[in-house]
Amino acid sequence: RPVSLRRVTAWSPPGIPGDTVARKAFDSAAPTDAAPAAIDPSAVTVRVTTDKAELRGAAAARALAFYTYPSDRSEFSIRSHRNMRIDAEWDAIADKINGKDVAFRDTRVACLVAALELERDGALPPGFAFDGKGLDPAALIPGDEKNGVPPRLILGTLDVNQGSKLPAEELAGTFPGPEDPVPPGTDTGEDGKGTNAGESTLAEEDSGSLVEGARPIRYRRAYLSNVCVLASARRLGLGKKLIEASFDVARAWGVEHMYVHVEAENVGAKRFYEAEGFVVVAEESEAFALSLSRPRRFLLSQPVVTRDVVEA
């Protein structure tokens, strides 16, 4: 059967047959029972990247983590579709970062990657293989011997989206509101410097969140999306490192509240975020989710400025 190129939000667990390729939109990858890989987590660095090769590695991680296939799909069909998804995700990341995605024109986006430095020969660590399932060659970033840059392997990624709401998501944060005071210690020096700069945004005007003299909501909220770690690199604390780094970005941008969407059926992801200090602030009804033909979602939130207090 031909592969469906339609992006859907319904998700089928690995091994469960289905008629379409499924993509878990704006959600964390499902947990795994696989044993942790034999790598040193301290050798993994998490950082914001705009490097083209690393963005493609992030795209590969997302294609591997979020898309599942019917059990009767051929290996050739899976690889062909995955390559198309990597290209599509790669283009999408770059367009969001550069402000070229029309849907994200009111949003400032940063892509973070968890990168493992390899030996000069690029040999993969134990537990990793380009088997077409857990790892794709696009996740391997070639080294640059001339400039002393070693090969890297992209193990995980996420996006930080600064804006009043996350495009394509019906659940949106409500705090802070336009009349809520800016918390002490918030750095507002980045206001107006990102791709979401401007006098006002359509999202703010539509929601009635414009108050004369108030700090624009698009600078005060942020959303996590596309959070994933390769299955072979989970249970090493890389998810926590990505979250911590995302709050560093949010804090530098002057974000006051961080939000994340989680599908109700993804219990492992919800527990992970709650362990990181997030709390559920809104949820969709079953009827509403059914009207959109996708699983219902929770919206979780956490203050940015006080996160260190929560961790302590």
Side-chain angles (χ1 to χ4, degrees), residues 225-239:
S225 65
N226 296 305
V227 184
C228 66
V229 174
L230 295 181
S232 51
R234 293 178 194 164
R235 294 164 56 184
L236 294 172
L238 301 188

Side-chain angles (χ1 to χ4, degrees), residues 280-293:
V280 175
V281 293
E283 61 180 277
E284 295 173 339
S285 66
E286 289 285 0
F288 181 78
L290 284 173
S291 71
L292 298 176
S293 301

Side-chain angles (χ1 to χ4, degrees), residues 104-108 162-163 192-198 201 218-219:
F104 283 76
R105 64 180 178 272
D106 297 336
T107 310
R108 184 181 187 180
Q162 183 190 38
K193 295 183 179 180
T195 54
N196 58 351
T201 69
R218 65 185 179 279
Y219 303 138

Side-chain angles (χ1 to χ4, degrees), residues 238-311:
L238 301 188
K240 181 178 179 65
K241 293 182 73 168
L242 281 163
I243 297 298
E244 290 175 346
S246 73
F247 272 83
D248 289 339
V249 172
R251 201 173 290 111
W253 285 356
V255 172
E256 300 169 29
H257 256 69
M258 184 79 87
Y259 290 89
V260 64
H261 295 84
V262 178
E263 291 181 355
E265 66 186 29
N266 198 341
V267 178
K270 181 171 177 288
R271 288 175 179 169
F272 167 75
Y273 289 120
E274 288 174 335
E276 287 299 308
F278 285 87
V279 296
V280 175
V281 293
E283 61 180 277
E284 295 173 339
S285 66
E286 289 285 0
F288 181 78
L290 284 173
S291 71
L292 298 176
S293 301
R294 60 162 174 75
R296 70 188 186 98
R297 302 201 190 324
F298 292 114
L299 181 65
L300 293 82
S301 179
Q302 180 178 175
V304 173
V305 174
T306 59
R307 176 173 167 79
D308 289 339
V309 177
V310 171
E311 290 181 336

Side-chain angles (χ1 to χ4, degrees), residues 3 37 51 91 99 121 124 131 141 177 198 229 245 291 299 311:
V3 175
D51 178 82
D91 289 340
D121 60 2
L124 298 177
D131 56 5
I141 314 302
V229 174
S291 71
L299 181 65
E311 290 181 336

Side-chain angles (χ1 to χ4, degrees), residues 18-34:
D19 292 330
T20 60
V21 174
R23 203 283 195 195
K24 298 186 65 181
F26 297 122
D27 196 12
S28 301
T32 178
D33 293 328

